Amino acid sequence: MTSSSRISSGWQRWWRGWQHFDWSLLLVTTALTLFASVVIASTQFSQETTPYGWNHIALGLIGVGLALGLARVRYDLFLQWQWVIYALVNASLLAVIFIGTSGLGAQRWITIFGFNVQPSEFAKVGLIITLAANLQGQRSITLLSMIRVLAIAGVPWALVFLQPDLGTSLVFGAITLGMLYWANVNPGWLVMMISPLVAAIIFHFSIPIWLVWSVGMGLIAWFTLPWRLFSTVTVTAVNLISGKLGEVFWGLLKEYQKDRLILFLDPDKDPLGGGYHLIQSRIAIGAGQLWGRGLHQGTQTQLNFIPEQHTDFIFSAVGEEWGFVGAIAVLAAYWFICLRLVLIAQNAKDNFGSLLAIGVFSMLIFQVVINIGMTIGLAPVTGIPLPWMSYGRSALVTNFLAVGLVESVANHRSRFRSFRD
């Protein structure tokens, strides 16, 4: 064999490690990251600050490398390490409480070698792996197994909520619900899971509707739960008392968290306080019109009307400087990413891989909907970043790790299989 043949054979063996790699998924996420770096740099154009745009590119390249490396690893190996991963997740979240670094009214970071690392971001991927491992062996979810899954998710959820980080705790809830649904849990149980929260909200708006809702949940319990009479009475009672409990839990929230949750309904009530971000964001997006004002030309963006715009409110900069066309392009990219995740979940060779892909899908689509919703005034401000777009080291690396995990599922599939068949 000639030297050129040996080199060619070596390259073929090397590239065989990505034989079924979904290159389109990685290319779109990488393109979003590069576009985000341009938008981030624009938000800082008129300020002498840290070069966030270049930092975003650098972290993105590291993330791409991690995704490529993770894709070569057989994802089923994580089954053996599920509890180690779960323990590390909770240990890191506990470390934040005791030795964490505070900022912006919360304690969410750990300083490692001079860099602030946010363990709650990496905990999302850890939770997805643990839940997938616990759900993958069951064709139908019993009530006891669902309670077990909720208990597993509840520990890191509580630790994140105590930081306090309301946004990330909501993401944990979305991941859990999405994965339970994909694992064929009874849909009525999922509705009953969130029913106390819905009842608490309805209670403050309409007592009659709250009563109807509580009775309706009791009927669902009658038809879906064992011990019909006991379950119906219990579920109905829980929803009836949720109104008062909602007031108790409301009192546990910080003032800025309360503002974020309610001011999106009418930000003009506090235009210089809690409603300021929402008002300025809507002005910026509306000013972009069809084609946008152009790079570095957005007045709201360049004059810093929206503080910290390079993080949670990056979409308002897209809307102002790139217009409706740019905003739609970003939405189309997210649509494509979500489509690929669902297709990979359907084509996974086993339940574990399918659940991993759906867990990542649940995490991403919830963050996209809430983040974009809050910038246009359709959702409360919860501090949830826009995947691959918002500046944030831990969040960006986490998103690429999640993509790498799904790419491993795609890369090691051997036959078509639909989890939901």
Side-chain angles (χ1 to χ4, degrees):
M1 180 182 294
T2 64
S3 58
S4 60
S5 298
R6 286 195 296 270
I7 293 174
S8 176
S9 177
W11 274 110
Q12 288 178 0
R13 286 196 300 270
W14 174 254
W15 281 108
R16 198 174 297 129
W18 293 293
Q19 185 175 0
H20 299 291
F21 192 89
D22 191 326
W23 291 103
S24 62
L25 176 60
L26 185 64
L27 286 174
V28 173
T29 54
T30 303
L32 263 182
T33 304
L34 293 174
F35 176 65
S37 66
V38 175
V39 180
I40 290 170
S42 180
T43 65
Q44 307 296 307
F45 183 70
S46 59
Q47 309 170 44
E48 294 182 3
T49 59
T50 305
Y52 292 113
W54 289 109
N55 289 351
H56 197 73
I57 291 178
L59 263 296
L61 291 175
I62 293 174
V64 170
L66 291 173
L68 288 169
L70 192 55
R72 293 178 67 97
V73 178
R74 293 191 62 87
Y75 63 89
D76 50 7
L77 293 177
F78 292 109
L79 277 171
Q80 307 170 22
W81 296 93
Q82 56 170 304
W83 295 118
V84 174
I85 294 171
Y86 185 70
L88 290 174
V89 163
N90 291 313
S92 65
L93 295 175
L94 277 172
V96 172
I97 296 176
F98 293 106
I99 61 172
T101 302
S102 300
L104 300 176
Q107 187 166 309
R108 304 172 184 171
W109 299 270
I110 297 177
T111 302
I112 301 177
F113 300 117
F115 295 97
N116 286 338
V117 177
Q118 190 171 352
S120 61
E121 288 292 336
F122 299 102
K124 298 173 186 175
V125 177
L127 179 63
I128 290 171
I129 293 172
T130 307
L131 293 184
N134 281 270
L135 289 169
Q136 57 90 26
Q138 306 178 51
R139 291 302 304 172
S140 61
I141 305 300
T142 65
L143 188 59
L144 288 177
S145 59
M146 189 185 76
I147 293 174
R148 181 171 183 265
V149 167
L150 294 178
I152 291 171
V155 176
W157 178 90
L159 292 174
V160 169
F161 187 80
L162 290 173
Q163 293 182 4
D165 190 348
L166 177 61
T168 303
S169 65
L170 291 175
V171 176
F172 280 16
I175 290 170
T176 305
L177 289 174
M179 295 181 72
L180 282 171
Y181 171 77
W182 194 255
N184 289 323
V185 72
N186 190 309
W189 297 355
L190 297 180
V191 174
M192 285 186 288
M193 282 173 53
I194 63 173
S195 66
L197 175 60
V198 177
I201 296 173
I202 296 175
F203 177 81
H204 293 278
F205 292 97
S206 174
I207 298 297
I209 296 178
W210 164 68
L211 291 172
V212 172
W213 173 266
S214 300
V215 173
M217 292 303 102
L219 290 174
I220 292 177
W222 176 269
F223 288 108
T224 63
L225 294 177
W227 309 301
R228 283 185 168 182
L229 182 59
F230 174 78
S231 299
T232 300
V233 172
T234 301
V235 170
T236 304
V238 168
N239 280 271
L240 287 173
I241 66 175
S242 292
K244 191 62 179 178
L245 286 177
E247 295 180 356
V248 175
F249 286 113
W250 182 257
L252 298 177
L253 296 177
K254 304 290 185 181
E255 287 301 321
Y256 77 92
Q257 290 177 321
K258 295 178 182 179
D259 289 341
R260 286 180 171 183
L261 289 174
I262 62 175
L263 278 174
F264 82 99
L265 297 171
D266 187 8
D268 292 322
K269 285 185 177 180
D270 189 11
L272 299 179
Y276 179 80
H277 273 79
L278 293 172
I279 294 172
Q280 298 302 323
S281 177
R282 290 190 305 187
I283 292 173
I285 294 174
Q289 299 184 25
L290 181 61
W291 296 102
R293 294 194 167 188
L295 193 62
H296 309 318
Q297 301 301 314
T299 55
Q300 301 294 114
T301 298
Q302 299 305 319
L303 297 179
N304 198 31
F305 278 97
I306 307 175
E308 303 296 327
Q309 191 177 11
H310 61 294
T311 55
D312 297 344
F313 279 83
I314 192 65
F315 190 76
S316 62
V318 174
E320 183 178 29
E321 297 195 342
W322 297 81
F324 178 79
V325 173
I328 289 298
V330 171
L331 290 175
Y334 285 121
W335 171 83
F336 181 82
I337 292 169
C338 290
L339 176 64
R340 297 308 305 168
L341 293 175
V342 172
L343 290 175
I344 291 172
Q346 290 181 327
N347 291 322
K349 70 176 183 178
D350 55 27
N351 295 349
F352 182 53
S354 184
L355 284 161
L356 288 175
I358 285 300
V360 174
F361 166 82
S362 302
M363 176 186 77
L364 293 177
I365 195 170
F366 181 79
Q367 293 184 184
V368 169
V369 170
I370 297 300
N371 180 279
I372 295 179
M374 77 181 185
T375 61
I376 60 178
L378 296 180
V381 180
T382 54
I384 294 177
L386 189 59
W388 295 287
M389 290 290 297
S390 295
Y391 180 80
R393 299 185 185 96
S394 299
L396 183 59
V397 173
T398 296
N399 291 331
F400 273 111
L401 286 175
V403 168
L405 193 63
V406 177
E407 290 284 13
S408 176
V409 175
N411 202 28
H412 294 94
R413 63 178 179 261
S414 57
R415 61 185 175 87
F416 176 86
R417 185 186 185 286
S418 175
F419 183 92
R420 302 194 62 78
D421 285 346

